[in-house]
Amino acid sequence: MTVSTPRRAVLIAAVAALAASLAVGVTTAAQAATTLGASAAEKGRYFGTAVAANRLGDSAYTTILNREFNQITPENEMKTDATEPNQNQFSYGNADRIVAHARANGMQVRGHTLAWHAQQPRWMESLSGTALRNAMLNHVTQVATHFRGQIAWWDVVNEAFADGSSGARRDSNLQRTGNDWIEAAFRAARAADPNAQLCYNDYNTDNWTDAKTQGVYRMVQDFKQRGVPIDCVGFQSHFTGGSNYPSNYRTTLSSFAALGVDVHITELDIRNAPADAYRNVTNDCLAVPRCKGITVWGIRDSDSWRSGESPLLFNGSGQKKAAYDAVLAALNSGTTPPTSPPPGTTPPPAGNCTASATPGQVWGDRYNTSVTVSGGSNWSVVVTLTSPQRVSTTWNGTPSWDSSGTVMTMRANGSGNTFGFTTMTNGNSSARPQITSCTAS
Ligand code: G3I
């Protein structure tokens, strides 16, 4: 086909305009993320919060939850007193509600917790010896089996070390069943849910020189040497009351990571929420490649177990505090971890908004991905798969596919700015979806 000169001029002008708009789009795409979850995801991490089931009906609460966070830890609903109130009678209603909310919104779930000396139901408190050991193992097995495939990380054992200068285990009814109770719990959890990452979680383990930190370190080192299935260590990081943010916190995180485990900041709150301390914690996590993410212990100060200390990122009215701005800025200026593809191997997505993918739950034959969009509400995101992988399920968006079935265009459907999908590997378990464009109006 020949193109007449006037027509050619129009065509050239149209191509130039398209190139200019794409250039603008790419510039816009490089803008800083505007939510904690999206920004953390750009750095290969999550940003989560503790969630209470009885607050899921509060729309002010869920608005912030769904906008800012891509990971949830049930605050009380998976503890032993909640899930097994009577021996061998399990109760999952509130925990299931939280997991369903997380799945519907593409958030990862940290299970908290399978074995703990506190918040035990009466029947368990009254047991001892072999009967208690067997009841604990049965609890681990039943609960981890119930949630199999839905939990990214389990706090298998919580708070098993003593405070103070001993560096020893805490005395408890579980400890009195024998020193091997912790490794027995980890083995039972691995058998029940082989795809969940298994963590030990504790508080006052933030200062590298503290005896308690060293005690936990020696246990993890021993577990790794003997092949006990442990994948991660959680640092609760309640910087309130008796313990403050220590200047050697980064050393603590990196020293544990050097043992071959991931590290997580699992219950962060800081008395009066000083912006500096929140910034330091965020920077410390970003500086340690195996630090997978940060979970704050509640959304608004009024949701906190220590509401009188106003330790969180949002005030009681749901407004962002100075600490929020400090965390977001630190996340946005952090470097991408070395595990990401080197710059240039994946072209930057085209378009005028930003879409960040966060890896989700992985099963033998499929895996989840959640994508958070920032920069517009009426968006359309193009995701390209590597054949023979195919998407089997999506949520929080309206998908359409090209004829090959490997290019999915996901459009906003009013469910917010995070959508998700499950990809069947169909034999290719290494490829991961690429976001090729994000367009918003
Ligand atoms: O739901 C009942 C309510 O019906 C009742 O009227 C009221 C009366 O006290 O109690 C309510 O339950 C409380 C529950 O929180 C829900 O608010 C419990 O008494 C109270 O003990 C419980 O506290 C929780 C605490 O763990 C228990 O140990 C906090 O919410 C929770 O934030 C806190 O979380 C722990 C982590 O699991 C482990 N690390 C430390 C962290 C802070 O203590």
Side-chain angles (χ1 to χ4, degrees):
M1 184 181 84
T2 53
V3 180
S4 66
T5 304
R7 275 197 178 173
R8 195 181 300 146
V10 169
L11 195 58
I12 290 168
V15 169
L18 179 63
S21 73
L22 275 179
V24 169
V26 169
T27 306
T28 312
Q31 276 180 354
T34 55
T35 66
L36 301 171
S39 187
E42 285 179 357
K43 304 299 179 300
R45 290 162 167 100
Y46 63 80
F47 204 100
T49 179
V51 162
N54 63 9
R55 286 188 161 83
L56 287 175
D58 171 351
S59 65
Y61 180 85
T62 52
T63 297
I64 304 173
L65 171 63
N66 297 348
R67 185 187 71 215
E68 297 287 344
F69 298 98
N70 54 14
Q71 183 272 335
I72 282 181
T73 304
E75 188 174 355
N76 289 299
E77 295 76 357
M78 287 187 184
K79 294 173 180 174
T80 321
D81 58 353
T83 51
E84 195 178 355
N86 300 301
Q87 188 163 15
N88 255 319
Q89 288 180 0
F90 293 86
S91 163
Y92 295 116
N94 283 331
D96 283 345
R97 263 187 280 287
I98 292 178
V99 171
H101 186 95
R103 285 173 75 82
N105 291 281
M107 302 163 172
Q108 292 181 289
V109 181
R110 177 180 205 86
H112 174 79
T113 175
L114 293 170
W116 189 21
H117 68 273
Q119 276 183 280
Q120 291 181 2
R122 286 258 161 76
W123 66 264
M124 186 179 266
E125 282 175 343
S126 68
L127 292 182
S128 62
T130 307
L132 175 59
R133 172 67 70 92
N134 289 340
M136 181 273 287
L137 293 176
N138 180 55
H139 180 84
V140 170
T141 301
Q142 296 296 327
V143 177
T145 300
H146 174 82
F147 292 107
R148 179 162 49 203
Q150 306 187 71
I151 303 291
W153 310 274
W154 264 117
D155 288 336
V156 178
V157 170
N158 195 41
E159 302 177 359
F161 276 73
D163 293 313
S165 58
S166 71
R169 298 282 184 85
R170 170 195 297 278
D171 178 50
S172 72
N173 60 349
L174 292 168
Q175 181 63 29
R176 277 175 247 130
T177 69
N179 206 49
D180 61 346
W181 74 276
I182 297 182
E183 59 197 84
F186 273 84
R187 292 189 205 282
R190 179 67 99 226
D193 187 353
N195 289 321
Q197 296 276 293
L198 306 182
C199 304
Y200 175 78
N201 189 52
D202 214 330
Y203 67 92
N204 280 354
T205 48
D206 316 293
N207 190 321
W208 176 237
T209 62
D210 280 357
K212 186 171 179 181
T213 310
Q214 292 297 312
V216 174
Y217 179 85
R218 283 192 296 274
M219 179 189 74
V220 175
Q221 187 176 44
D222 171 55
F223 280 10
K224 292 300 287 182
Q225 283 167 355
R226 292 193 293 112
V228 177
I230 184 168
D231 305 302
C232 38
V233 176
F235 297 84
Q236 295 185 8
S237 307
H238 291 293
F239 295 127
T240 49
S243 78
N244 289 313
Y245 166 79
S247 58
N248 60 19
Y249 188 60
R250 191 179 298 190
T251 302
T252 304
L253 297 179
S254 59
S255 300
F256 275 83
L259 291 175
V261 288
D262 289 334
V263 294
H264 298 246
I265 297 169
T266 52
E267 304 182 15
L268 179 64
D269 52 18
I270 313 182
R271 182 198 279 166
N272 298 327
D276 275 359
Y278 265 107
R279 180 184 302 113
N280 288 338
V281 170
T282 307
N283 284 333
D284 289 343
C285 181
L286 291 171
V288 178
R290 291 198 81 144
C291 182
K292 294 297 177 188
I294 299 174
T295 307
V296 287
W297 206 240
I299 298 178
R300 301 162 302 193
D301 286 333
S302 47
D303 303 317
S304 171
W305 68 301
R306 289 181 164 177
S307 55
E309 297 182 6
S310 303
L312 296 175
L313 300 178
F314 295 86
N315 69 18
S317 310
Q319 285 159 337
K320 297 169 183 172
K321 296 163 58 178
Y324 172 97
D325 297 332
V327 170
L328 183 61
L331 289 171
N332 277 334
S333 57
T335 49
T336 305
T339 46
S340 298
T345 55
T346 306
N352 61 356
C353 50
T354 304
S356 316
T358 306
Q361 187 69 41
V362 179
W363 295 269
D365 60 347
R366 64 198 195 283
Y367 61 90
N368 280 352
T369 306
S370 69
V371 177
T372 299
V373 182
S374 53
S377 54
N378 189 20
W379 42 259
S380 163
V381 176
V382 177
V383 179
T384 304
L385 305 178
T386 301
S387 199
Q389 294 193 353
R390 291 288 186 279
V391 168
S392 59
T393 315
T394 69
W395 53 94
N396 290 345
T398 302
S400 58
W401 280 271
D402 76 337
S403 56
S404 75
T406 58
V407 180
M408 174 176 75
T409 301
M410 183 70 90
R411 292 188 172 77
N413 68 357
S415 303
N417 286 340
T418 298
F419 67 88
F421 53 97
T422 302
T423 307
M424 304 303 300
T425 59
N426 294 328
N428 179 347
S429 55
S430 59
R432 287 296 180 265
Q434 299 294 320
I435 294 171
T436 38
S437 76
C438 180
T439 313
S441 58

